[in-house]
Amino acid sequence: MNSLENFHEMMNGGRPGWLPFSLPTTRPVECTILEKTGKPSIEAFDTDFRGVDPSYHGVDPAAWRSALEAAGFHFPENSVVGCFGMSHVLPPVETLGDAVHLTEMLHPLAGIEDVGQLGKLPWPDTSDPAHYENFRQKCGEIHAAGKVASGGQECTVFEHAWYLRGMDNVFSDWAEENPVSEWLLDYFTGRSINVCRAFALAGCDVIRLGDDVGMQNGLLISRDMWRQHLKPRLKRVIDAIREASGDRKVWVQYHSDGDVTPLIEDLISIGVDILNPVQPECMDLEKIAGEFQDRLAFSGMIGTQTTMPFGTPSDVREAVARCRRLHEGGARVIVSPTHVLEPDVPWENIDAFVDAVRVRLRPSLS
């Protein structure tokens, strides 16, 4: 079996030869892997998944900067503007060390007062197929290599809206029935529908959705608020995937950091197939697997707050073995850290992770 066949064997409840795995990294960690092995991580460790991502043609960050300044936002020194107006400040290098990916987020739409102002911004037309013209070729290349094609749209509805508006302002808009945040949520829902439909039509095996709505001790917002503002929009995206994929099964993964246990039934009801992560620092892996494994698969159960940076190689191997035991109990499992590996993760723990996930499953299960 190759990675693609093994993954579908796992997801269809069969007998995979090994637990599919991924290893998301930050740039400093990727540089370490390159130094140690001479190859990027996906090649060095022969991971099972390969990403497919949109590239928005004709989107001009300079136009966004000009439009946001015209709307009244003042950009501080060392700020950068990206696609859809996402804006950050780059701190001095000496304050970052190896954590070069940690930047200060700006909220350039915090001062917007009405939707008329939003309409003057240079929003790209995400229905333009030119943005996704390479998807089919990319999926074909991934499948030819025997790997799983994974389409990434993990800031699906909520996150990009609050990145621009500010989380406190989004919540205030909801409370005051201000339509500004609803406009943003609708725009990014439409964007995600267009991207994910293109993923499905191109042949992606997995489409990764998500919005962080959890904290370590519960939900970021009430379940009622999530059901009112976010669930229907997420359902529209998943419905578009199902319509575009037809009879071909596309597995929908939903990502949220934190404890989102109260939302699991809702996520299943709208078509989520894989939950990522099941964060061991704040979620009961065995309890969740026992309750939901007949209807949901699980990804991302190796702690990046605990085990990967601060555990020993033996701790890492035991965390992987825990995933294997969950699978032996009937769960469908994709082994992965709960989030990207940060620069404080020792090389020895990365090596232990890869060594542990490469262990073949017992013949009775393989």
Side-chain angles (χ1 to χ4, degrees), residues 285 301-303 307 314-325 335:
L285 307 187
M301 289 171 281
I302 314 297
T307 305
S314 293
D315 294 329
V316 173
R317 291 189 177 91
E318 170 54 30
V320 175
R322 186 182 187 187
C323 294
R324 188 172 294 108
R325 290 193 294 272
V335 183

Side-chain angles (χ1 to χ4, degrees), residues 19-230:
L19 299 180
F21 77 101
S22 64
L23 189 68
T25 62
T26 53
R27 192 171 71 185
V29 174
E30 192 66 27
C31 289
T32 297
I33 294 169
L34 189 60
E35 291 171 4
K36 294 284 187 179
T37 69
K39 299 178 181 178
S41 59
I42 60 171
E43 295 179 15
F45 303 136
D46 195 27
T47 56
D48 293 293
F49 301 85
R50 299 291 184 270
V52 181
D53 299 290
S55 56
Y56 296 100
H57 298 279
V59 177
D60 183 5
W64 269 101
R65 181 183 288 269
S66 296
L68 292 169
E69 288 174 340
F73 186 75
H74 173 70
F75 284 95
E77 188 177 355
N78 294 328
S79 58
V80 294
V81 182
C83 192
F84 303 101
M86 304 299 164
S87 305
H88 298 79
V89 173
L90 302 177
V93 173
E94 57 268 23
T95 68
L96 292 174
D98 290 331
V100 294
H101 58 291
L102 296 178
T103 60
E104 178 187 352
M105 183 180 292
L106 302 174
H107 308 298
L109 301 186
I112 293 293
E113 297 179 353
D114 61 71
V115 295
Q117 293 173 279
L118 293 175
K120 297 177 182 178
L121 298 173
W123 303 101
D125 176 9
T126 62
S127 67
D128 184 349
H131 298 310
Y132 322 117
E133 60 187 6
N134 67 329
F135 280 9
R136 193 175 297 276
Q137 178 183 347
K138 182 69 173 177
C139 285
E141 292 170 352
I142 292 170
H143 289 157
K147 299 299 181 180
V148 182
S150 177
Q153 190 62 27
E154 286 176 320
C155 292
T156 309
V157 175
F158 176 54
E159 283 196 61
H160 278 170
W162 79 253
Y163 289 177
L164 290 171
R165 180 71 168 154
M167 189 181 292
D168 52 347
N169 291 315
V170 170
F171 293 163
S172 294
D173 287 346
W174 288 353
E176 298 169 2
E177 300 184 351
N178 185 333
V180 169
S181 287
E182 294 296 293
W183 192 101
L184 292 171
L185 292 170
D186 284 341
Y187 176 81
F188 286 111
T189 300
R191 182 274 311 267
S192 293
I193 287 171
N194 290 329
V195 175
C196 292
R197 182 182 289 120
F199 281 149
L201 291 171
C204 282
D205 307 289
V206 180
I207 298 178
R208 306 188 318 272
L209 308 180
D211 285 302
D212 287 336
V213 292
M215 302 182 293
Q216 301 274 122
N217 58 354
L219 297 178
L220 184 66
I221 56 178
S222 71
R223 184 165 57 180
D224 287 343
M225 293 292 279
W226 182 83
R227 285 173 170 171
Q228 178 182 349
H229 295 284
L230 302 182

Side-chain angles (χ1 to χ4, degrees), residues 219-263:
L219 297 178
L220 184 66
I221 56 178
S222 71
R223 184 165 57 180
D224 287 343
M225 293 292 279
W226 182 83
R227 285 173 170 171
Q228 178 182 349
H229 295 284
L230 302 182
K231 180 180 178 180
R233 292 180 167 97
L234 180 61
K235 183 179 185 300
R236 287 177 56 202
V237 178
I238 296 173
D239 287 348
I241 293 170
R242 301 301 182 213
E243 185 275 331
S245 57
D247 294 334
R248 186 178 69 87
K249 178 62 179 178
V250 175
W251 305 99
V252 174
Q253 175 174 293
Y254 183 84
H255 166 87
S256 174
D257 297 329
D259 184 359
V260 295
T261 304
L263 302 183

